[in-house]
């Protein structure tokens, strides 16, 4: 569904329509600063004057600065990106929601963005697998999804990027894909994070 447009005088979120995707891209990291009119820079172009944008009713995009993607996030700045995951959760906060970021090489837009969608049958199966694996555990657990991965259960909604960066030694999240799930299967309303590497599971788990 195409959303309407609204902006906030405090530089807060801008709501605009969008009909793009996040498939494969290997464009340079400074593309949007040197070629603002590029199709791959649409998200940066429309959001750059705002704190963040809610695009098309399913994507959160940071504004003001050019942040190409997860490669922009590392130990020194991860905390400053955590509010974006919270914004995505606030847009989609029922148990059928999944929040998604894709790593380098698996997107067409050159600005960091977080998908928030309802999951499909594949997503339901993965969520149930995560619940079976994580309920009753503490800390990060080894998991297998398109290769070695890590998963963790939280009692509350955490600072997602900060937590994932710490789990990967404080380095860049360039090759890390993140999905965030809400569950009641483990007692109470809890959050599960799955961090995969060198792959995207977006299209296999979410409705489009």
């Amino acid at each position: 569904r195409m959303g309407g447009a609204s902006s906030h005088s405090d530089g807060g979120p801008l709501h605009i329509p969008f009909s793009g995707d996040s498939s494969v891209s290997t464009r340079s990291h400074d593309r949007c600063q040197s070629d603002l009119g590029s199709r791959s820079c649409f998200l940066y172009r429309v959001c750059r004057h705002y704190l963040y944008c809610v695009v098309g009713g399913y994507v959160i995009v940071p504004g003001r600065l050019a942040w190409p993607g997860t490669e922009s996030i590392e130990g020194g700045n991860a905390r400053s990106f955590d509010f974006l995951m919270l914004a995505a959760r606030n847009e989609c906060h029922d148990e059928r929601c999944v929040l998604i970021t894709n790593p380098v090489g698996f997107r067409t837009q050159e600005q960091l963005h977080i998908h928030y969608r309802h999951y499909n049958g594949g997503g339901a199966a993965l969520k149930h697998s995560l619940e079976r694996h994580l309920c009753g555990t503490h800390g990060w657990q080894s998991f297998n999804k398109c290769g070695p991965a890590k998963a963790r259960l939280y009692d509350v909604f955490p600072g997602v990027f900060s937590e994932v960066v710490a789990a990967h030694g404080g380095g860049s999240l360039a090759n890390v894909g993140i999905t965030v799930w809400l569950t009641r299967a483990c007692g109470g309303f809890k959050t599960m994070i799955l961090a995969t590497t060198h792959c995207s599971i977006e299209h296999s788990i979410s409705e489009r």
Side-chain angles (χ1 to χ4, degrees):
R1 182 175 65 85
M2 302 299 281
S6 64
S7 62
H8 297 256
S9 58
D10 62 356
L14 170 73
H15 292 255
I16 58 176
F18 178 50
S19 57
D21 64 49
S22 295
S23 301
V24 176
S25 173
T26 55
R27 298 180 180 90
S28 63
H29 294 174
D30 62 355
R31 173 72 176 270
C32 293
Q33 294 175 323
S34 60
D35 188 8
L36 185 60
S38 168
R39 182 178 179 181
S40 66
C41 297
F42 171 78
L43 292 180
Y44 172 66
R45 187 166 63 248
V46 300
C47 296
R48 68 189 188 277
H49 298 306
Y50 298 88
L51 178 61
Y52 70 91
C53 296
V54 180
V55 184
Y58 64 90
V59 182
I60 297 290
V61 184
R64 297 185 177 164
L65 297 175
W67 300 106
T70 53
E71 64 269 36
S72 304
I73 304 174
E74 41 79 22
N77 64 13
R79 187 179 299 274
S80 67
F81 290 94
D82 285 337
F83 82 97
L84 295 166
M85 275 293 186
L86 182 60
R89 195 280 306 269
N90 289 342
E91 293 292 330
C92 190
H93 48 77
D94 63 64
E95 289 181 75
R96 292 190 60 237
C97 292
V98 58
L99 316 180
I100 306 166
T101 61
N102 291 315
V104 168
F106 295 88
R107 59 178 191 253
T108 57
Q109 287 294 306
E110 294 299 323
Q111 182 71 348
L112 177 68
H113 52 287
I114 303 168
H115 294 264
Y116 58 88
R117 299 178 181 272
H118 283 145
Y119 55 74
N120 59 17
L126 176 55
K127 180 180 179 180
H128 294 328
S129 179
L130 285 166
E131 290 167 341
R132 290 192 300 270
H133 196 78
L134 293 178
C135 286
T137 67
H138 301 279
W140 287 96
Q141 307 296 314
S142 296
F143 195 77
N144 187 51
K145 183 63 179 177
C146 61
K150 299 179 180 182
R152 184 170 178 175
L153 179 71
Y154 293 85
D155 290 335
V156 297
F157 193 85
V160 173
F161 289 121
S162 293
E163 291 292 312
V164 176
V165 163
H168 288 82
S172 167
L173 296 183
N175 296 308
V176 179
I178 301 170
T179 54
V180 181
W181 313 74
L182 306 175
T183 180
R184 294 187 186 276
C186 301
F189 196 46
K190 299 186 177 183
T191 303
M192 300 183 296
I193 298 177
L194 172 63
T196 56
T197 53
H198 300 283
C199 66
S200 169
I201 60 175
E202 175 197 347
H203 295 169
S204 66
I205 65 170
S206 65
E207 297 177 355
R208 295 186 62 79

